[in-house]
């Protein structure tokens, strides 16, 4: 019975990696669309969101099966309950990637070289998502702590984006709507970083029984 349970836990890890990869792809497509002003890339994100939502339901079903059909010990319960919390954050990451893609598509927006911080933010949050899921699979508390700490870097990038856009607003030739759209995109990336940090906190809970600390 335990061997079957362990096999299902391995499947859970595999499904979590798959969902994480879908989130990473959605973020990457959004930032590539922003970098290249290629709205066709942005239009592919909603399909990824559909797949992310489907994977969330599949993982929730697997977790419920583990809870109802097996007899998990306390440590197993922490892993399963953490996975259920983590997929909620991953689904929200998908939502926010789709929000970014919608702004790019509707406003036909792109970021110039003076807003490279947005690109840096996107690369950073992709790294955070990847590392948080990896920490869950490997039960690596130190890696989870590193993800949480790295959220400060994303926040610093957001503050730099705000500073650039505030300075831009002072110029008479500035397109205000374009600047506001860029600020909204940066804010969505900042929120994605927050969700990745939340995922890492649930990883810590799955390992230690405590979130953070």
């Amino acid at each position: 019975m335990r061997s079957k349970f362990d096999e299902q836990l391995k499947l859970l890890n595999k499904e979590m990696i798959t969902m994480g990869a879908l989130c990473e792809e959605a973020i990457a497509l959004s930032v590539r669309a922003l970098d290249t002003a290629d709205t066709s890339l942005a239009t592919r994100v909603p399909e990824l969101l559909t797949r992310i939502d489907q994977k969330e339901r599949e993982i929730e079903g697997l977790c419920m099966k583990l809870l109802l059909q097996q007899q998990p010990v306390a440590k197993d319960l922490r892993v399963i309950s953490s996975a259920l919390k983590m997929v909620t954050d991953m689904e929200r990451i998908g939502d926010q990637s789709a929000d970014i893609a919608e702004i790019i598509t509707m406003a036909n927006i792109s970021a110039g070289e003076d807003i490279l911080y947005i690109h840096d933010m996107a690369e950073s949050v992709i790294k955070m998502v990847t590392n948080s899921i990896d920490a869950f699979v490997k039960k690596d508390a130190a890696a989870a702590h590193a993800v949480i700490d790295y959220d400060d870097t994303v926040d610093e990038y957001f503050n730099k984006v705000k500073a650039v856009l505030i300075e831009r607003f002072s110029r008479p030739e500035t397109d205000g709507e374009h600047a506001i759209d860029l600020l909204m995109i940066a804010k969505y990336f900042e929120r994605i970083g927050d969700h990745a940090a939340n995922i890492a906190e649930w990883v810590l809970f799955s390992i230690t029984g405590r979130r953070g600390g």
Side-chain angles (χ1 to χ4, degrees), residues 131-143:
N131 291 350
S132 61
I133 302 300
D134 192 53
F136 176 75
V137 172
K138 294 180 179 178
K139 298 178 173 58
D140 188 338

Side-chain angles (χ1 to χ4, degrees), residues 187-205:
K187 184 61 180 177
Y188 282 128
F189 279 128
E190 190 258 346
R191 288 177 182 171
I192 289 172
D194 289 341
H195 286 301
N198 284 345
I199 291 169
E201 288 189 358
W202 285 113
V203 172
L204 288 176
F205 176 78

